[in-house]
Structure formats: C-alpha cells, structure tokens
Amino acid sequence: MHVPDGFIDVPVSAAAGVVAAGAVAVSLRGAQRELNERTAPLAGLVAAFIFAVQMLNFPVAAGTSGHLLGGALAAILVGPYTGVLCVSVVLLLQGILFADGGLTALGVNITVMGVVTVVVAYGLFRALVRVLPKKRRSITVASFVAALVSVPAAAAAFTLIYAIGGTTDVPIGTVLSAMVGVHLLIGIGEALITMATVGAVLAVRPDLVYGARGLSTPLKLRVGGELVDARPDDAPAPAASPRPVWIAGLVTSLVLAGFVSFYASANPDGLEKVAADKGIDKKVEDHAAADSPLADYGVADIENARLSGGLAGVIGVGATALVGTGVFLVVRRRRSEGVQTKETVSG
C-alpha cells in the first residue's frame, strides 16, 4: 500500500505530512514511557523485521499480491507509540533508499500504514484482551483479529484521502469497494504473520511482548498451607538478557530479506492492482530517488537478479536495524535524563 507521488495532490499530501509529523512527535514522547533498557534495541529489530517481511509479497487473488503492513505487529510487540515509530522508520528508508513509496507522499504513507494501522489494531487488541481469558492463547487470537481488521481499515483511510485530494476522477465508491475488498484478503495474510510472530516471541520470552504485560499473575508463596502474595524480596530474579532473541530475530530477518524474498510473488500489490484497473495511476510521477543504487530492491550494476535482490535486502535490514535502534536508544536516553532531572530538582 505504498502510495507513489502523483496519486494525491500537493495540498492534501502536505496536510497528511503535517498529520504524520504530529503523530511522530506524539509517538516520540509516548515511546519514552514504553521503552526500557531491554526493549529499546528490540524495537529496532522489530523495524528491521517489518522491512524484511514487507519484501515477501504473497499471492492473494486475480493476479494480485500483498505484503505485511506491520502496524499491528509492532504495536503488540513494543507498544503503540513505538509501533508508529517503527513503521515510520521503515517507510522513510524505503522511500529514500529503495524508491518505494513517494517522497511527497511520505506523510500519506505514514498516516495510512503507520498511524491508522496502529490505532485500529492496538485499540481492538486491547478491547479483546480485556474480555478474553487471561491466557497466552488470548494474546495470539487478539493479535490475529487486530491485524486482520487493520489492513482494510488502512485501505479505507487511503480511500478517504483519495476522495479529498485524488488527482484522477474515479468514483469513490468504486475505489472504496475495490481497495477494501482486496485488502481484506491481504489482511488474512497480515493476521497469520502477526499471530505467528507474536506467538513465537510469547513462547520463548513473554516478558518482551508489550501487549502481554499484565498477563502473568502475581507471584504466590505457600505459607502454612495457604497461598500469600510474595514480598518484594521474594520476587524472581531479573529476566534474562534479550540478546538471544535479538540475534535470532536479526538472523531471521536477514534470511528472509536476503534469500526468501527472491521467491516472493511478482504480482502487483493491492494498491498497484486497483490503481491500474481503475485508472488511479494516470498521473503517477517518477520517484525522486529512482536513480538510487538500491532502487526497486536491487543493487545497481549487479546483473544476477538473485544476488542483486538479496544483497539489497540485507542492506535494507542492516540500515533499518541501525537507524531504528539508534532512534529508540536516543528516545530511551531522553527518558532517563528526564527522570534524573526530576530527581535532582525534587532533591
């Protein structure tokens, strides 16, 4: 659902840019409350994983493919504010390095693929978790439903933006039905990927899943034949280092982007297919980064398609992991500095 330049006119693209900038600013502050020493590096890994899986287009129907949007996955794993930042980092690097998603449409893409997916998915996820049994299975079920709904919601959001600032004259009802219809199918793939990933992390390190916080019951000890709440001194030792999860996730991302991506579907994705069929793409513009050495997810001057695409994927994962981790460590450090300042003033 990467919107290229030329689909949406300049005034509406600029307005969407303001909305996206505001959402990122709010998320930078909110992420300070979500991130800690262990989860800040993992948030960078989540961004890299989303980048990798977005390279794996899967067929849906009638010559159309889809790929992960990632908003639901990021929000559930690292928190909604951090989730918006994860998707924003991915979209920024895709636009600048790989000419994927227009630069003037960056605000539209962040709003649709980052903000809308996160807000819809995490809101629905929290509502479901409140009513479902307090079990791990409930987390995976809620993640499936939340991810499924988030994709057609993003498609509807794009249609609304197109209704306000579309550069071609196509009936809105036609666009809405086509976009929501195909992205409902893509949402099934999104839901399966999200559920599988969340379930995998839950199985090994449930303490690292933001959406599962509060799932575990307080520690109880049997004293004199009765169960009583444990004292703070009786609490279990601090959780193990998240380093093994980080390494495993990074290796998985590199394999997906560097090798598995070669076997991804070559069919146009949902937006591309609808745009071509309905005439939305009549005024599409050439990408400003079309001359990038990594444009279209291939390395310039390397003729072997498998090697070119795989190397581009590895570079993308590495760049996203570095940039994302750097951003989240800075956000975490600002929180620590803010806490120290308050303690100094109060002291």
Side-chain angles (χ1 to χ4, degrees):
M1 202 184 297
H2 293 75
V3 180
D5 296 321
F7 276 23
I8 308 298
D9 63 29
V10 173
V12 175
S13 294
V18 172
V19 172
V24 169
V26 171
S27 297
L28 285 169
R29 294 184 62 86
Q32 293 180 27
R33 300 190 296 271
E34 295 173 345
L35 296 171
N36 56 41
E37 304 81 23
R38 295 183 301 126
T39 58
L42 289 173
L45 172 63
V46 170
F49 182 78
I50 290 173
F51 174 91
V53 180
Q54 283 195 2
M55 294 184 67
L56 307 180
N57 280 48
F58 49 85
V60 285
T64 308
S65 70
H67 62 69
L68 182 80
L69 297 187
L73 176 62
I76 294 167
L77 287 179
V78 292
Y81 294 107
T82 308
V84 170
L85 298 179
C86 284
V87 179
S88 298
V89 167
V90 172
L91 292 172
L92 177 63
L93 292 179
Q94 286 174 333
I96 294 175
L97 297 180
F98 299 92
D100 189 10
L103 296 183
T104 63
L106 181 61
V108 174
N109 284 319
I110 290 177
T111 300
V112 171
M113 297 177 63
V115 179
V116 172
T117 57
V118 167
V119 171
V120 171
Y122 197 72
L124 181 55
F125 173 82
R126 293 310 311 173
L128 291 172
V129 167
R130 288 191 184 97
V131 299
L132 292 172
K134 301 296 183 182
K135 298 179 178 180
R136 291 185 184 179
R137 182 178 300 177
S138 298
I139 300 296
T140 56
V141 170
S143 67
F144 179 93
V145 177
L148 173 63
V149 175
S150 71
V151 178
F158 165 78
T159 305
L160 176 60
I161 294 174
Y162 177 81
I164 300 172
T167 57
T168 54
D169 186 17
V170 180
I172 300 305
T174 301
V175 177
L176 179 63
S177 60
M179 284 292 292
V180 173
V182 70
H183 284 91
L184 183 59
L185 297 176
I186 294 172
I188 297 173
E190 177 104 10
L192 291 172
I193 295 170
T194 301
M195 181 180 68
T197 305
V198 171
V201 181
L202 274 175
V204 294
R205 290 295 300 272
D207 59 302
L208 297 179
V209 179
Y210 183 89
R213 293 182 180 182
L215 182 65
S216 59
T217 57
L219 179 65
K220 299 281 187 179
L221 294 178
R222 186 174 295 278
V223 179
E226 296 182 359
L227 289 176
V228 298
D229 291 335
R231 300 189 307 272
D233 293 342
D234 298 323
S241 168
R243 183 174 298 177
V245 175
W246 195 93
I247 294 174
L250 181 60
V251 171
T252 300
S253 300
L254 291 171
V255 171
L256 292 175
F259 177 73
V260 180
S261 63
F262 181 78
Y263 302 96
S265 173
N267 292 331
D269 65 24
L271 177 58
E272 290 174 330
K273 179 66 173 176
V274 172
D277 289 347
K278 307 303 179 183
I280 298 176
D281 60 355
K282 291 180 180 178
K283 295 186 179 181
V284 66
E285 300 174 1
D286 292 336
H287 200 287
D291 294 331
S292 166
L294 298 173
D296 297 324
Y297 298 94
V299 178
D301 301 326
I302 295 182
E303 297 182 359
N304 185 289
R306 177 173 295 184
L307 177 60
S308 177
L311 184 57
V314 168
I315 293 172
V317 167
T320 307
L322 287 174
V323 173
T325 301
V327 168
F328 297 124
L329 287 176
V330 169
V331 171
R332 172 60 188 168
R333 188 175 298 115
R334 288 182 60 185
R335 177 190 176 182
S336 300
E337 292 173 352
V339 171
Q340 292 175 359
T341 300
K342 289 181 180 179
E343 291 177 348
T344 301
V345 172
S346 61

